Amino acid sequence: MKRSTYILLAVLLFTGQLFYSCKKALIQPPLGSLSEELVANKNGVNGLLIGAYAALDGMQGGDVALGGGDAWQASPTNWVFGSVVGGDASKGSDGADQPAIDPIANFYSGATNAFYDGKWKALYEGVTRTNNVLKLMAKATDLSEAERKSIGAQARFLRGHYYFELKKMWNMVPWIDETTTNFNQPNNVDIWPQITDDLKYAYDNLLPAQSEIGRANKWAAGAYLAKAYLYQHKYDLAKPVFDAVITQGQTSSGLKYDLNKNFEDNWLPSRENNPEAVFVIQMAANADPTGPSNANNGDMLNFPYGDGSPFSCCGFFQPSIDLVNHFRTNPATGLPYLTNFNSFPVKTDMGIEAGQNFTPDEGTLDPRLDWTAGRRGVPYHDWGIYPGKPWARDQSYGGPYGPKKNVYWSENADSDGDQGTWAPGTAVNYSIIRFADVLLMAAECEAQIGSLGKAQEYVNRVRARAADHESWLFKYKDDEDPSAGFSDEPAANYKINEYPAGNFTSQGKDYALQAIYYERKIELAMEGHRFFDLVRWGIADQELNAYFSYQGKITSDVRNGKFVKGKNDYYPIPQRQIDLSQSNGAPVLKQNPGYN
C-alpha cells in the first residue's frame, strides 16, 4: 500500500470534479483526460480507492499539502491542532518561525489563519476521493458483488474518517457525498448520523483481515465506530463494539490485537505493523525520487535542531514542561499524582549551558517519559545523550525538551529517514488508532456506565505494559560511543505500578474517570489526541487555563493563552471557504460561534 499510492492519482481534483483536462487553447479538445468509460471499471475503481487511501497523509508531494499550503498545516498527526493546542507540546523553534501557530496555540487566532484552510482543503480532498470511488463503482459492470461490497465498505470507512476529523475540528461542516451535485452546501446540519452510518456500514461489511497491510478491516471499522459513539456519549452503543474489538479483533495480517511487549515498538518502522496497530497511516521514506511524498512530511519540522544535532531541521514540537511533569510517580505507590503533578516537577536544564554540569532528575518516574521526550543527560534513542540547550533553538520560548516518538533511530537512518528533502521525512507510521487507545476508550465507556472494575482492568493492562522492564530505556554502555549499545541499568529512576485491586470501585466513578483521563494523557502523549479529548470531556477550559498559568511562567510561547468555553471548543471555519461559498450575495457557510 505504501508504494501503490503513486498510481492513478492524476484523475482527482479537490474541487469535487473528477476529470482533469489540459488545453492549449479553448478550441482544442481536452488532452490527457480520462473518460468515465475508462475509469468506471474494476481497475479504475481500485485505482481511485488507492487514491482515497493516499489522501490519509494529507500530502500531494514534497512539502505541499493536498489542495495547497504547507505540509505541516494538514498533518494527519494533528501535532498542532491536537497536541500543541492541547498542552502536550510547545510549538517549539522560535517565535519568528511559523508564527501562525502561536495564535492557534494561545486561542486568539482568527478565521484567516492559513493553517485552518490548509487542513480543511486536505480533508475535503479525502472526502472527494472517497465519493468518486463510490460514484464510479456504481457504474462499473465488471465488479463482483464481493468486490463491490469490499470497495464500498473501504471507501465509506475512509469517508467516515475524513468527516470525523472535520467534525472534531469544526463541529458544523457541510456534508457532501457521491450523490451531491451542488457542492456549495450549508453547514447547518449535525453530521454525526452520516459519520456513524458510514462507519457502521464498514464494520458490517469489511473482511476481518485484508491481504494488504494498510487497508481497513472490520475491526478497524469497529474501533472507529465505537469511538464515534463515545464522542457522542452513547456509551451503551459503544460498549458492545469495544467488547468485540478487544476480544475478537485482529490486524489485517491476522494477528490478534494486543499491546506490544515494548512500548517503543509503536514507532519503529521495522516493527510497526504489529498487534497494537489497529488503523495506521503507512509512511515510507525514500520511495519517491522527487521528494518525501510518502514519508511523514507533515511532521518534517519536528526534530531537535541546533548545534551538533544530526537532523537537518527544524526544532518544532517540543514536549511541554507540564507534560513531562505528568510522568512523575509517587515513590511509595508507583502511581501518578492525579491532581497536583506540577507540585512535584521533573528537574529541567532550563537556562543551563552545555558546558555547565547538570544531573538529571533522580526522583521516581513513569518510564514512558523517556520514550516520549528527549531530556538532557538521558539517551536519545541511539543518537547519543540528549545534550539539552544546544538542541533547542530558543529554550526560553519552547522549553528544554525534544520530541521522540516521531524520530527514527540512528542505526536505521538510511532506510527510515528520507534522504531527498531539506527536512527529515520519515518512515515512522502514524497510528490513527492503536490498541492502547482502544483499551482506554473502552475503560472510559465502562466507567461511564458504572462498570468500574472492568475500567480498572483495562487501565491496568496499559500500565502493566509500561511496568515491564524490557520496555524501559537503559543507559549506554559507553556515553561517548552509542554504537556500543545499552547496558542493563535503567536510564532513570523508574517506578510504575498498577492501581491496587478494587481501587476504582472504592474511590468511585469520578476518581475512575480522572485516572482514565490521566492515563490517556501519558500513554498517548504527543499523538494528537489531547485537545479533542479535553473538549469532549467538557474540561478544556479548566485544564488549558491551568496549563497556561503554569507553563506561561516558564516559557514565553503561551503567556497570552486563554481558553474561552463555548467558543474555543472548535476552530473557526476558514474565512476563505466562507468567501468561496457566496451565493446570491450571501455566504452559504456560517461561522462558528464567537468568531464573527
Side-chain angles (χ1 to χ4, degrees), residues 83 88-89 317-320 323 372 403 405 521 524-528:
S83 288
D88 275 0
F317 200 36
Q318 294 178 251
S320 68
L323 171 68
T372 303
K405 286 182 175 178
K521 170 78 172 180
L524 303 171
M526 307 287 284
E527 296 182 45

Side-chain angles (χ1 to χ4, degrees), residues 147-167:
E147 289 169 334
R148 196 177 299 277
K149 181 189 291 186
S150 175
I151 292 169
Q154 289 180 71
R156 292 186 66 174
F157 171 86
L158 292 171
R159 186 169 67 184
H161 161 73
Y162 295 126
Y163 273 121
F164 190 100
E165 289 288 293
L166 285 158
K167 176 69 178 177

Side-chain angles (χ1 to χ4, degrees), residues 462-480:
V462 174
R463 291 184 66 79
R465 189 263 299 273
D468 190 325
H469 284 225
E470 288 190 21
S471 68
W472 290 8
L473 185 69
F474 294 91
K475 292 182 177 179
Y476 290 129
K477 292 178 181 176
D478 182 350
D479 286 352
E480 301 301 321

Side-chain angles (χ1 to χ4, degrees), residues 410-462:
S410 173
E411 67 174 345
N412 302 315
D414 289 343
S415 60
D416 296 348
D418 200 280
Q419 308 303 309
T421 180
W422 53 271
T426 169
V428 176
N429 288 349
Y430 175 62
S431 292
I432 296 175
I433 302 177
R434 59 184 175 92
F435 192 57
D437 184 8
V438 172
L439 289 173
L440 292 174
M441 288 191 290
E444 182 181 337
C445 186
E446 297 286 356
Q448 289 286 2
I449 64 176
S451 182
L452 302 185
K454 193 66 174 179
Q456 182 174 324
E457 176 189 324
Y458 288 148
V459 171
N460 276 345
R461 188 170 171 183
V462 174

Side-chain angles (χ1 to χ4, degrees), residues 228-297:
Y229 286 142
L230 185 67
Y231 264 66
Q232 299 171 76
H233 303 156
K234 296 179 178 180
Y235 308 115
D236 57 330
L237 296 178
K239 175 182 162 48
V241 186
F242 278 133
D243 288 347
V245 172
I246 291 169
T247 59
Q248 303 173 49
Q250 59 185 13
T251 68
S252 288
S253 56
L255 298 173
K256 188 179 187 307
Y257 287 144
D258 200 357
L259 298 175
N260 293 323
K261 186 172 182 59
N262 294 325
F263 180 69
E264 69 274 17
D265 283 357
N266 290 293
W267 301 279
L268 285 170
S270 61
R271 305 177 190 172
E272 284 175 323
N273 294 302
N274 53 48
E276 196 162 342
V278 177
F279 190 66
V280 174
I281 300 177
Q282 302 289 322
M283 306 295 182
N286 308 306
D288 182 355
T290 65
S293 61
N294 237 44
N296 187 4
N297 49 322

Side-chain angles (χ1 to χ4, degrees), residues 88 90 318-326 342 345-346 348 350 398-401 547 550-551 554-555:
D88 275 0
S90 295
Q318 294 178 251
S320 68
I321 293 170
D322 177 272
L323 171 68
V324 169
N325 289 348
H326 276 77
N342 279 328
V346 176
T348 80
M350 283 290 288
Y401 301 118
Y547 165 72
Y550 178 81
Q551 183 82 19
I554 307 170
T555 60

